[in-house]
């Protein structure tokens, strides 16, 4: 990283009020913490990206093979699976695709849906529609080790919702270094979830991640 010549100017632009969220030290120390938070947030991107891709594709492949082919396209004309909140998001994605001049396909709808959409499909309210179906849980989370031979969506739900909150904080440029969980604990949560979805994706992440290097540079 290039040396910052005028930290006072940066403090003025970011504003001392915003920097105060990082502690009670002098402005220059708080600026270092702010920059570290930015770099740490950036290092989460590969993990969150691979998690989102893995989760949405695992869910869609399981639905396609075990329940209904091209389910999102069919859902547009008959609300069979989605609750009202998720169905509204599906309709919004359809309109966005149409406005871009493209045909509405299942693959385009999958790509258009947000991480929040897929996370909420992993909540207990969708147990009767998806998770109680034979083989569905195993298809989405093949590396999940059950307790007493039971596969439960509740712990998955809680961890995914925590990951979604983390992703939203990062997306809104909020602080992640002084939360209830340390950055290392938050990263491990993402890594654990990715492992449940795909060991290959987990290995890919381990090969490209800069997270551990960044944490060693904590101010």
């Amino acid at each position: 990283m290039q040396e910052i010549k005028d930290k006072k100017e940066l403090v003025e632009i970011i504003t001392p009020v915003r920097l105060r969220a990082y502690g009670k030290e002098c402005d220059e120390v708080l600026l270092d913490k702010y920059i570290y938070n930015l770099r740490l947030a950036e290092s989460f991107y590969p993990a969150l990206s691979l998690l989102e891709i893995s989760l949405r594709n695992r869910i869609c492949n399981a639905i396609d093979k075990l329940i209904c082919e091209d389910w999102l396209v069919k859902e547009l004309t008959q609300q069979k699976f989605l609750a009202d909140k998720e169905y509204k998001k599906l309709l919004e994605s359809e309109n966005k695709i149409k406005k871009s001049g493209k045909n509405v396909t299942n693959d385009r709808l999958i790509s258009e849906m947000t991480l929040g959409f897929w996370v909420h499909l992993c909540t207990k309210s969708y147990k009767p529609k998806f998770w109680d179906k034979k083989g569905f849980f195993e298809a989405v989370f093949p590396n999940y080790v059950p307790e007493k031979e039971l596969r439960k969506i509740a712990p998955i739900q809680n961890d995914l919702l925590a990951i979604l909150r983390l992703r939203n904080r990062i997306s809104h440029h909020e602080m992640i270094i002084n939360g209830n969980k340390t950055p290392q604990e938050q990263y491990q949560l993402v890594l654990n979830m990715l492992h449940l979805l795909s060991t290959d994706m987990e290995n890919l992440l381990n090969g490209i991640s800069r997270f551990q290097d960044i944490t060693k540079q904590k101010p």
Side-chain angles (χ1 to χ4, degrees):
M1 186 175 69
Q2 291 184 337
E3 182 180 355
I4 298 172
K5 295 181 179 179
D6 190 350
K7 287 189 175 182
K8 290 184 179 180
E9 181 180 350
L10 283 180
V11 169
E12 182 180 344
I13 294 172
I14 297 169
T15 73
V17 172
R18 184 169 180 83
L19 291 177
R20 285 287 174 266
Y22 290 84
K24 297 181 180 180
E25 297 93 340
C26 68
D27 287 344
E28 289 197 1
V29 173
L30 296 182
L31 178 62
D32 289 338
K33 288 186 176 182
Y34 177 86
I35 294 171
Y36 174 67
N37 189 78
L38 284 176
R39 299 183 71 197
L40 200 60
E42 180 190 22
S43 72
F44 268 93
Y45 176 80
L48 292 169
S49 178
L50 292 180
L51 173 68
E52 181 171 357
I53 291 169
S54 300
L55 182 65
R56 78 184 188 192
N57 289 341
R58 285 290 198 202
I59 291 173
C60 286
N61 288 341
I63 296 175
D64 190 66
K65 292 178 181 178
L66 301 173
I67 301 176
C68 177
E69 293 183 356
D70 293 331
W71 71 287
L72 283 176
V73 169
K74 293 176 181 176
E75 189 77 2
L76 288 170
T77 56
Q78 182 181 6
Q79 187 181 351
K80 185 176 181 181
F81 299 109
L82 297 178
D84 289 344
K85 184 177 180 180
E86 282 70 58
Y87 187 68
K88 181 180 178 181
K89 291 181 179 180
L90 178 64
L91 295 178
E92 290 172 353
S93 295
E94 178 193 26
N95 290 333
K96 188 174 180 180
I97 294 170
K98 286 181 176 179
K99 286 181 179 179
S100 70
K102 299 177 182 177
N103 294 326
V104 177
T105 65
N106 207 64
D107 286 340
R108 287 197 175 108
L109 287 170
I110 291 172
S111 298
E112 199 62 48
M113 307 311 294
T114 64
L115 176 60
F117 175 86
W118 303 113
V119 167
H120 284 97
L121 291 191
C122 297
T123 56
K124 290 184 289 185
S125 61
Y126 281 97
K127 281 178 88 284
K129 298 290 182 66
F130 298 139
W131 301 102
D132 287 343
K133 304 297 183 183
K134 184 178 179 180
F136 190 88
F137 193 109
E138 293 84 349
V140 178
F141 299 104
N143 299 317
Y144 181 87
V145 179
E147 296 182 7
K148 300 180 180 179
E149 301 303 318
L150 293 176
R151 295 180 180 269
K152 298 180 179 180
I153 196 61
I156 298 289
Q157 165 188 316
N158 294 337
D159 287 349
L160 280 173
L161 288 172
I163 291 170
L164 179 61
R165 289 192 293 271
L166 169 66
R167 197 290 307 267
N168 289 343
R169 290 188 67 83
I170 291 173
S171 297
H172 295 119
H173 316 295
E174 296 179 16
M175 181 171 53
I176 61 173
I177 61 174
N178 291 340
N180 294 329
K181 292 182 180 294
T182 66
Q184 289 85 350
E185 289 172 332
Q186 295 177 81
Y187 189 83
Q188 190 61 49
L189 187 65
V190 179
L191 192 62
N192 290 346
M193 187 60 62
L194 190 59
H195 170 77
L196 297 183
L197 291 160
S198 170
T199 51
D200 286 334
M201 280 294 205
E202 179 188 14
N203 291 335
L204 172 58
L205 175 62
N206 288 333
I208 63 176
S209 175
R210 296 177 58 247
F211 177 81
Q212 299 300 339
D213 293 333
I214 296 298
T215 57
K216 293 176 184 178
Q217 301 168 23
K218 181 179 179 180

